Amino acid sequence: MSLLLKFAISILLVFLSNTIEIESVEQIYSLETRYIEVPVDHFSALPSPKYFKLRYLINSKYHVRGGPVFVYTGNDGDISIFAQNTGFMYDIAPVFNALLVFIEHRYYGQSLPFGNSTFSSPDNMQYLTSTQALADFAFVIEHLKKSFFENVISYDTHPFVAFGGSYGGMLAAWLRMKYPYSVIGAISSSAPMFYFPGMTSCELFYDKVTQVFEKYGHDQCVKTIKLGWDVIINLSKTKLGMDFISTTWKLCGKLKNSEDTEMLLNWLGNIYVNIALTNYHYPTDFYTPLPAYPVKVFCDKLTTSYFNDTKGLIEHFSHALEIYTNYTGKRVCNNINSSIDDYTEFAWDYQQCTELVMPKCSTDADMFITKPWDFEKYSMNCFKKFGVKTFEPDWAVIAYGGKNLRHYSNIVFSNGMMDPYSCGGVTGNMSASIWAFNISDAPHHIDLRNSDVADNNYVFSARAFHIQAIKQWLNMV
Ligand SMILES: *[C@@H]1O[C@H](CO)[C@@H](O)[C@H](O)[C@H]1NC(C)=O
Ligand SMILES: *[C@@H]1O[C@H](CO)[C@@H](O)[C@H](O)[C@H]1NC(C)=O
Ligand SMILES: *[C@@H]1O[C@H](CO)[C@@H](O)[C@H](O)[C@H]1NC(C)=O
Ligand SMILES: *[C@@H]1O[C@H](CO)[C@@H](O)[C@H](O)[C@H]1NC(C)=O
Ligand SMILES: *[C@@H]1O[C@H](CO)[C@@H](O)[C@H](O)[C@H]1NC(C)=O
Ligand SMILES: *[C@@H]1O[C@H](CO)[C@@H](O)[C@H](O)[C@H]1NC(C)=O
Ligand SMILES: *[C@@H]1O[C@H](CO)[C@@H](O)[C@H](O)[C@H]1NC(C)=O
């Protein structure tokens, strides 16, 4: 968008909002948007190699010449979302005089290798791999080293530190492991490094989600959630029942068959997972706007007086779910087909199908519908959806060393002990400089968020640990 047009629009917005000044995300976070041409395929020589524009965001507000560069290795989503939810980097930037850079992961946000046909064929999607993404990050970092510090003789004097949460945490760690000259160390928060086939039991994830609901919800919450599955399945046996659920839950399309019902059950399960992951102790806007302690708020809306009134139960669930689906009251209807028009989810599903296979299963012991891990079925669903096969379930282990992390250096792995993904996290020190930090009572990568008056001492200590590690890497102690 041209500056003039941007200006005209902002004037218009100011006018419309009746003198309330609207600041863009870029202004609030002092971010400058940049693009760099990177090869679509870093690993093959072609007669005429293709390039595409990869987006990255820069904040130089706290940067003092000579200071380090803190790089967020973007994960599965629009990079601006991570730039807005990684306040820790802004909080500590002044201490280090650091430049902040947030690099978008290819195939997400605006970094689409084939424009609007990026997701239209297996051919176009084949370059969506963590290996290519890591090469992008290394590529951008080399570019920054050259362009930002052109007068500096040794690039070493401007150390780069990688930061990331969740899959972004894996990428931060992997960047340090695969391109150690590129970053001097990595802060890897809530990264399920060990959540690959054969490394972690598949039931632990849903067990942990259930524990979160048991701990933060009332006694009957898990029981009610468990009952919910049967009620939905029973109601879905008739057209009348399906219509009732569709209307009560304000679904965008009516449930028509058992496939739709299965989709609904998956959608519901994902909501429970996401509420548990983002069970922060203050209101947030990460996947979606949420109140403080969303698990508690959700559970408080589910009373137990409806155990013999299935329709009443469905209505109650509808109110409870609005905590997640409609906290702002602006959602017209619930699209349970989300990955059909949500390319972020589509791309992430593709990655989980092709290289990042993370086996999850549920048992009678948790609050989800019992579902064993069935690799054949998983692989077949992937084929149906993407036209590609899960080529090698163990690839992530081969590519990134599995549990053999003792050969590496300078990584902090932090995990919230009430984060479902912590079951696949690195929770023990692995070498003299591969450190683990457990954060009691904490959800998914809370330590990377900005500091908040409601933060407890556990989160505070985790951040202090990170700062200490970075100082050590930068020879500041
Ligand atoms: C895709 O993008 C091209 C060029 O930017 C445009 O001409 C075309 O109409 C777009 N197609 C769709 C389906 O949006
Ligand atoms: C579901 O239907 C079965 C068979 O009709 C019945 O036994 C069961 O109690 C029902 N469960 C719920 C939760 O309504
Ligand atoms: C899901 O998407 C398909 C294809 O767009 C559509 O036919 C179906 O009605 C949708 N189902 C629901 C329940 O929204
Ligand atoms: C549910 O069952 C209880 C007794 O077990 C009864 O008092 C109550 O009226 C019933 N509620 C409905 C809605 O049927
Ligand atoms: C969201 O909330 C608004 C306001 O209460 C309501 O009108 C709308 O139907 C709700 N939408 C969904 C999908 O729940
Ligand atoms: C973190 O917690 C796990 C168990 O949940 C424990 O085995 C491990 O020793 C703890 N690690 C540290 C660094 O305290
Ligand atoms: C892990 O290493 C850190 C940093 O040296 C140390 O402070 C911590 O005590 C170690 N934890 C365990 C459980 O050994």
Side-chain angles (χ1 to χ4, degrees), residues 386-441:
F386 302 108
V388 293
K389 289 224 167 83
T390 305
F391 48 89
E392 176 54 77
D394 290 337
W395 168 244
V397 177
I398 296 165
Y400 303 117
K403 291 195 173 175
N404 302 317
L405 298 183
R406 68 193 166 84
H407 308 288
Y408 303 105
S409 63
N410 293 5
I411 305 173
V412 176
F413 290 105
S414 56
N415 280 284
M417 291 293 101
M418 290 315 275
D419 170 9
Y421 274 115
S422 64
C423 63
V426 180
T427 52
N429 292 344
M430 308 294 285
S431 78
S433 65
I434 300 281
W435 298 323
F437 194 98
N438 292 349
I439 317 172
S440 302
D441 219 10

Side-chain angles (χ1 to χ4, degrees), residues 170-349:
M170 298 196 217
L171 291 165
W174 291 339
L175 185 64
R176 170 65 194 164
M177 287 154 62
K178 292 289 187 184
Y179 298 88
Y181 68 90
S182 191
V183 290
I184 200 164
I187 302 294
S188 168
S189 176
S190 294
M193 300 288 288
F194 297 163
Y195 210 112
F196 294 113
M199 298 171 78
T200 294
S201 303
C202 65
E203 77 279 1
L204 292 179
F205 184 83
Y206 290 125
D207 267 358
K208 198 78 198 186
V209 177
T210 307
Q211 281 172 37
V212 173
F213 275 75
E214 276 165 350
K215 177 164 179 178
Y216 297 96
H218 56 74
D219 295 353
Q220 299 295 316
C221 190
V222 164
K223 205 173 153 195
T224 312
I225 286 170
K226 269 182 129 161
L227 180 73
W229 303 114
D230 282 342
V231 170
I232 294 168
I233 291 166
N234 276 8
L235 275 173
S236 301
K237 284 179 183 150
T238 67
K239 180 170 183 311
L240 219 62
M242 284 195 280
D243 285 351
F244 178 75
I245 297 175
S246 308
T247 311
T248 311
W249 285 14
K250 299 189 180 121
L251 304 187
C252 299
K254 277 199 164 150
L255 300 175
K256 288 185 292 285
N257 48 42
S258 59
E259 270 177 32
D260 287 349
T261 305
E262 173 125 17
M263 201 150 61
L264 177 76
L265 299 174
N266 282 336
W267 175 80
L268 186 58
N270 280 336
I271 291 178
Y272 297 148
V273 167
N274 287 343
I275 294 180
L277 287 172
T278 52
N279 192 38
Y280 299 119
H281 48 262
Y282 48 85
T284 54
D285 183 0
F286 185 42
Y287 299 123
T288 187
L290 283 174
Y293 287 118
V295 169
K296 180 182 185 314
V297 178
F298 177 88
C299 285
D300 283 350
K301 295 206 177 249
L302 285 184
T303 61
T304 52
S305 53
Y306 284 84
F307 274 16
N308 47 1
D309 170 11
T310 53
K311 292 197 166 174
L313 188 75
I314 291 293
E315 276 161 4
H316 255 62
F317 265 99
S318 165
H319 297 312
L321 287 170
E322 281 200 51
I323 289 300
Y324 185 81
T325 59
N326 196 21
Y327 187 52
T328 55
K330 287 186 187 141
R331 183 76 63 90
V332 177
C333 63
N334 291 311
N335 181 10
I336 62 168
N337 259 346
S338 62
S339 86
I340 290 197
D341 55 24
D342 179 346
Y343 286 122
T344 296
E345 207 171 310
F346 192 74
W348 179 236
D349 281 353

